[in-house]
Amino acid sequence: MGRPMAERLIDAGHKLQINRVKAQSQYLVDKGAYGVDTPAAAARGADIVILMVPDTQDVETVLFGPNGVASGLSGNGLLIDMSSIAPVATRDFAERVRKLGAHYLDAPVSGGEVGAKGGTLTIMVGGEAEDFERARPVFEVLGKTITHVGPVGCGQVVKVANQIIVGLTIECVGEAFLLAERAGVDLGTLKTALMGGFAQSRILELHGQRMIDETFDPGFALKLHRKDLNIALETARNLDIALPNTAATVQLMNSAVSRGLGGKDHSVMFRALGDISPDARA
């Protein structure tokens, strides 16, 4: 998602310094971005630094590892982490960045690659109000629904809540489709009928069609969604609360990953459900 987000910022007239230029992102340099060798070099002289990496450990490494962003961040710089990571770690990273005299927002996103390309991402922002306003022009290039949800770390909490709803809804659509399919109902007809009733949803519309067509190219990879739900379970343990259906969905995801499906779109849970329910008619 970082590539189309960077492209939108370039097209909007922002000057970018980008780290880790690969073959598939060389076009960003051709469009005017400056390729640099280290995260520190990307941060040096920048008013705003944006991170978009897969997991909590990746954020820590990019920020505080050798030649990390922290060693190049200017005193009044604004660090925006748009990755989806653990809220507790986010608050720790923010405190370490603030001790350097810089500012920190956590701003995870929802909307996938389609939203990143179209500038329609949902952006959930945690941090100080003045930092949010400072970043707003950048967010408006990238997203459509932009909400300041509270202090640092709250953005990650809201993203985790989003991922619970999305993951469990995909799983329940998969269960409904499996039941109907095994009972002899055409899935296309099923989807048409359900979209006219109270069960209608964006997930039923989009991911239901993926299940019908058996097209599971990401999209959003199942293994990344599993990572987000594991963050939800870790957060729940810290708060001494139960998320039983989230835990069950993670187990289904584990089953799918064990079958080599972790790189497929998260709608592949439909196939995983079928795998653990062999068709007696076959």
Side-chain angles (χ1 to χ4, degrees), residues 40-276:
R44 198 163 293 122
D47 181 49
I48 294 176
V49 179
I50 297 175
L51 273 63
M52 175 58 95
V53 294
D55 208 343
T56 305
Q57 184 58 54
D58 299 310
V59 172
E60 184 169 26
T61 299
V62 170
L63 280 178
F64 305 111
N67 294 309
V69 164
S71 61
L73 199 60
S74 64
N76 195 42
L78 174 59
L79 191 290
I80 306 175
D81 179 23
M82 303 191 79
S83 317
S84 296
I85 67 169
V88 172
T90 290
R91 293 183 177 115
D92 173 65
F93 299 160
E95 181 61 27
R96 292 163 72 179
V97 166
R98 282 195 289 257
K99 286 180 178 178
L100 300 173
H103 306 265
Y104 196 107
L105 293 173
D106 59 301
V109 302
S110 179
E113 188 174 357
V114 172
K117 289 179 177 178
T120 59
L121 293 169
T122 294
I123 307 176
M124 302 148 256
V125 189
E128 297 295 328
E130 54 267 35
D131 294 331
F132 173 71
E133 292 303 326
R134 178 179 171 186
R136 185 188 288 275
V138 170
F139 291 147
E140 288 177 343
V141 173
L142 303 174
K144 183 177 180 181
T145 302
I146 304 157
T147 309
H148 182 213
V149 297
V152 163
C154 289
Q156 298 296 350
V157 173
V158 173
K159 176 59 186 290
V160 165
N162 178 86
Q163 295 302 79
I164 290 172
I165 292 169
V166 172
L168 272 61
T169 304
I170 292 174
E171 193 278 337
C172 81
V173 170
E175 286 194 16
F177 274 37
L178 180 65
L179 174 68
E181 182 181 59
R182 295 292 174 85
V185 176
D186 175 76
L187 292 184
T189 303
L190 171 74
K191 181 191 166 198
T192 298
L194 295 180
M195 285 298 295
F198 202 51
Q200 66 173 304
S201 70
R202 189 71 170 152
I203 288 173
L204 174 61
E205 179 184 4
L206 295 182
H207 292 295
Q209 194 61 47
R210 285 178 179 267
M211 295 173 191
I212 292 168
D213 297 337
E214 291 271 324
T215 53
F216 299 122
D217 295 332
F220 186 65
L222 179 87
K223 62 185 177 183
L224 293 178
H225 202 150
R226 181 180 67 158
K227 177 264 297 184
D228 292 342
L229 293 192
N230 276 321
I231 290 173
L233 294 178
E234 176 188 355
T235 305
R237 281 193 295 271
N238 291 335
L239 295 171
D240 292 325
I241 62 173
L243 300 178
N245 291 326
T246 301
T249 300
V250 168
Q251 289 302 316
L252 178 63
M253 290 176 166
N254 289 342
S255 175
V257 170
S258 74
R259 290 168 165 79
L261 301 176
K264 299 293 185 181
D265 186 79
H266 45 181
S267 58
V268 82
M269 281 192 278
F270 174 59
R271 183 178 291 171
L273 286 164
D275 287 345
I276 62 175

Side-chain angles (χ1 to χ4, degrees), residues 10-64:
I10 294 169
D11 290 343
H14 294 279
K15 295 180 179 180
L16 269 64
Q17 298 174 161
I18 58 175
N19 178 228
R20 294 181 72 238
V21 178
K22 299 181 180 179
Q24 59 266 42
S25 52
Q26 178 61 40
Y27 75 96
L28 296 173
V29 175
D30 297 337
K31 292 191 69 143
Y34 296 92
V36 296
D37 294 333
T38 66
R44 198 163 293 122
D47 181 49
I48 294 176
V49 179
I50 297 175
L51 273 63
M52 175 58 95
V53 294
D55 208 343
T56 305
Q57 184 58 54
D58 299 310
V59 172
E60 184 169 26
T61 299
V62 170
L63 280 178
F64 305 111

